[in-house]
């Protein structure tokens, strides 16, 4: 196992009716800015639960954070923070709202250009404290230090991470997820599954704790993912999915093991260029990465096939092909597409993926050997 340091201070409050506990988490004299998205919280009753819990506190609102949150929108929120003097941010939403809130927290206290956090890797020196009420299990942003922001002006989607951006608390009430459309439920399951894959499907470093933990999460996401399609009102299914998604990207399974993240980085180009859902980009690209990197990932792909899909027999090549097939079948079962042609794209999409990699000079993957040229080859496998 490789050396590592692990730090995660996020307090998790999990279960039915837990939004009412918001009051106990907030500093008494705080000026709170509640940040949310396009309005789903008005339709499903979450807004009312949150504002009831905020009764007696000083608070304001900033709404309109879009999926794949825009830098430009976040900077409007930063203006509001400066003008009205908010000192605590409360994100109410999915990954986009949480990521936006983290960026607002850092940008509000940043001297200079906040975009430098992304392009120059300028460290976040300070940030406003923030709390989270999660409404969409998917990204793990509720329990991590990452934020992914898109800048419309430059057509870029880039990530930032800083220990200053861990939420102080996250309230995870699985009942908030009942109102999700099927597409977002499926996106969440597939995104969380691929977060595990990015931290698992590399090369072995003798790390049974991380491997069994990752396999448990993938097993759960496959089983509960299938169940949620059949029994969308089953509380336990919703609870298991929410907790699995949080665990998939809270840092633990990534401790001391090599990590890939190439599918994620490649996917950003498809989102900026075509507005494709984050999880949909991954469902198309991951099978290509598995195929293209099957020699480097051979031992872990065989182990994955064995543990998750009961693939025990056949030649190495056959077992690898069947495992990739099973992963793809799972994404399709959840309702996602796995080919560029199925979402109406062709050769042009290959450049949309390759260009940002070329521009940023990224070398992706656990062996840092996926450049724009390899990305083109991977995408060509997914036409
Ligand atoms: O904006 P509203 O009206 O709230 O609607 C949202 C949005 O349209 C809706 N929604 C959320 N909760 C709902 C609901 N609709 C009904 N009922 C509810 N309870 O769902 C739509 C999608 O929301 P969004 O937050 O965009 O989805 P998700 O949680 O999948 O987040 C995706 C973003 O997270 C980033 C992605 O790149 C993307 O920008 N990621 C962040 C990561 C992190 N911080 O660690 C890691 C991930 O890999 C990912 O990159
Ligand atoms: Zn993701």
């Amino acid at each position: 196992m490789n050396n590592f340091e692990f730090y995660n201070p996020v307090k998790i409050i999990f279960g039915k009716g837990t939004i009412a506990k918001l009051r106990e988490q907030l500093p008494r004299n705080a000026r709170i800015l509640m940040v949310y998205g396009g309005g789903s919280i008005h339709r499903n009753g979450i807004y009312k639960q949150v504002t009831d819990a905020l009764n007696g506190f000083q608070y304001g609102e900033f709404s309109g954070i879009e999926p794949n949150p825009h830098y430009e929108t976040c900077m409007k929120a930063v203006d509001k923070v400066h003008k009205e003097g908010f000192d605590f941010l409360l994100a109410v939403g999915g990954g986009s709202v949480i990521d936006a809130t983290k960026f607002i927290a850092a940008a509000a206290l940043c001297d200079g250009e906040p975009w430098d956090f992304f392009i120059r890797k300028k460290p976040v020196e300070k940030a406003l404290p923030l709390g989270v009420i999660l409404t969409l299990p998917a990204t793990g942003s509720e329990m991590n230090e990452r934020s992914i922001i898109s800048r419309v002006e430059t057509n870029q989607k880039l990530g930032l991470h800083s220990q200053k951006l861990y939420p102080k608390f996250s309230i995870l009430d699985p009942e908030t997820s009942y109102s999700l459309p099927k597409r977002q439920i499926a996106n969440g399951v597939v995104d969380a599954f691929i977060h595990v894959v990015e931290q698992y499907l590399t090369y072995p470093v003798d790390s049974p704790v991380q491997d069994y933990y990752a396999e448990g999460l993938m097993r759960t996401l496959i089983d509960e993912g299938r169940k949620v399609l059949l029994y969308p009102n089953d509380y336990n299914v919703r609870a298991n999915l929410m907790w699995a998604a949080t665990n998939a990207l809270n840092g633990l399974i990534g401790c001391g093991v090599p990590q890939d993240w190439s599918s994620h980085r490649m996917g950003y180009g498809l989102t900026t260029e075509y507005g494709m859902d984050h999880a949909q980009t991954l469902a198309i690209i991951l099978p290509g990465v598995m195929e293209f990197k099957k020699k480097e990932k051979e031992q872990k792909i065989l182990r994955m096939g064995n543990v998750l899909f009961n693939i025990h027999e056949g030649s190495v090549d056959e077992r690898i092909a069947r495992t990739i097939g099973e992963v793809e079948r799972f994404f399709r079962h959840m309702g996602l597409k796995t080919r560029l042609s199925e979402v109406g794209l062709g050769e042009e999409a290959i450049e949309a993926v390759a260009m940002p990699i070329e521009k940023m000079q990224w070398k992706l993957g656990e062996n840092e050997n996926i450049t724009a040229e390899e990305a083109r080859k991977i995408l060509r496998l997914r036409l």
Side-chain angles (χ1 to χ4, degrees):
M1 199 194 311
N2 302 332
N3 291 2
F4 67 89
E5 291 183 14
F6 179 70
Y7 170 72
N8 191 319
V10 184
K11 176 177 181 182
I12 297 291
I13 301 161
F14 190 98
K16 277 183 199 180
T18 44
I19 294 177
K21 293 184 173 240
L22 173 62
R23 304 180 64 74
E24 301 150 32
Q25 314 311 318
L26 294 166
R28 251 297 130 201
N29 298 318
R31 288 179 60 79
I32 300 154
L33 181 64
M34 173 180 169
V35 180
Y36 60 97
S40 68
I41 65 167
H42 284 294
R43 294 186 291 276
N44 57 20
I46 296 172
Y47 178 86
K48 170 139 188 3
Q49 289 185 57
V50 175
T51 48
D52 283 353
L54 285 175
N55 191 15
F57 285 87
Q58 284 185 293
Y59 71 93
E61 296 178 21
F62 185 91
S63 62
I65 301 291
E66 49 283 281
N68 307 301
H70 295 173
Y71 166 87
E72 288 83 353
T73 308
C74 293
M75 291 310 288
K76 289 185 189 151
V78 171
D79 264 358
K80 189 173 169 81
V81 168
H82 288 163
K83 286 198 184 111
E84 298 176 37
F86 294 103
D87 55 16
F88 193 100
L89 305 182
L90 178 66
V92 185
S96 294
V97 168
I98 305 169
D99 283 9
T101 305
K102 288 175 178 172
F103 173 60
I104 296 162
L109 301 188
C110 162
D111 306 319
E113 172 48 70
W115 193 240
D116 286 349
F117 292 139
F118 299 94
I119 49 168
R120 296 189 211 291
K121 298 288 163 205
K122 171 176 149 157
V124 175
E125 308 282 357
K126 43 196 171 157
L128 290 173
L130 66 117
V132 169
I133 293 174
L134 180 69
T135 66
L136 196 176
T139 63
S141 188
E142 65 278 8
M143 200 178 170
N144 71 37
E145 77 295 33
R146 302 169 183 226
S147 167
I148 323 282
I149 301 292
S150 300
R151 187 164 187 172
V152 180
E153 188 194 339
T154 56
N155 208 23
Q156 283 173 304
K157 178 171 181 174
L158 296 170
L160 143 75
H161 56 93
S162 164
Q163 292 198 351
K164 301 276 190 300
L165 299 182
Y166 280 113
K168 298 287 171 218
F169 62 85
S170 283
I171 296 180
L172 278 55
D173 180 345
E175 290 191 323
T176 59
S177 66
Y178 286 143
S179 59
L180 284 167
K182 183 175 166 280
R183 168 174 148 204
Q184 297 301 346
I185 299 172
N187 278 346
V189 171
V190 169
D191 188 25
F193 183 86
I194 297 177
H195 293 159
V196 181
V197 172
E198 300 270 34
Q199 300 164 88
Y200 168 85
L201 207 67
T202 57
Y203 52 87
V205 290
D206 195 2
S207 53
V209 173
Q210 295 89 325
D211 288 344
Y212 286 127
Y213 186 175
E215 286 156 1
L217 291 175
M218 288 189 285
R219 172 86 277 143
T220 303
L221 288 160
I222 292 171
D223 291 349
E224 306 298 302
R226 288 178 191 277
K227 280 190 219 164
V228 77
L229 300 178
L230 297 170
Y231 315 108
N233 296 320
D234 184 314
Y235 175 80
N236 287 327
V237 172
R238 297 292 189 156
N240 288 323
L241 280 178
M242 193 170 259
W243 190 223
T246 300
N247 278 267
L249 196 48
N250 66 1
L252 262 173
I253 60 167
C255 288
V257 298
Q259 302 191 19
D260 181 341
W261 296 108
S262 61
S263 297
H264 268 72
R265 293 284 194 88
M266 286 190 263
Y268 294 163
L270 294 177
T271 297
T272 50
E273 201 56 39
Y274 307 109
M276 200 185 290
D277 288 352
H278 169 63
Q280 180 57 80
T281 70
L282 303 174
I284 292 173
I285 295 172
L286 177 72
V289 172
M290 290 176 76
E291 175 65 32
F292 190 73
K293 288 289 180 193
K294 63 186 173 192
K295 279 286 158 249
E296 288 168 43
K297 294 179 183 293
E298 179 178 300
Q299 291 192 55
K300 284 308 243 336
I301 298 180
L302 292 174
R303 179 176 166 139
M304 183 189 202
N306 193 335
V307 175
L308 289 185
F309 304 114
N310 293 316
I311 299 172
H312 312 299
E313 283 163 13
S315 69
V316 167
D317 285 348
E318 280 163 9
R319 281 184 284 157
I320 288 176
R322 282 176 58 202
T323 303
I324 299 172
E326 289 293 342
V327 168
E328 195 170 339
R329 219 179 331 280
F330 167 53
F331 298 160
R332 299 187 74 82
H333 182 84
M334 292 306 302
L336 275 80
K337 312 275 194 257
T338 56
R339 293 270 166 190
L340 286 169
S341 51
E342 290 178 283
V343 294
L345 294 175
E347 292 274 342
E348 69 284 5
I350 296 175
E351 278 317 294
V353 169
M355 282 318 289
I357 301 176
E358 206 150 273
K359 185 168 173 183
M360 301 300 285
Q361 295 284 297
W362 283 333
K363 290 187 168 59
L364 306 177
E366 65 274 21
N367 296 315
E368 299 184 356
N369 55 8
I370 301 177
T371 64
E373 205 33 55
E374 285 73 32
R376 288 188 183 98
K377 290 179 188 156
I378 290 168
L379 267 286
R380 215 156 272 136
L381 297 171
R382 306 311 300 159
L383 284 168

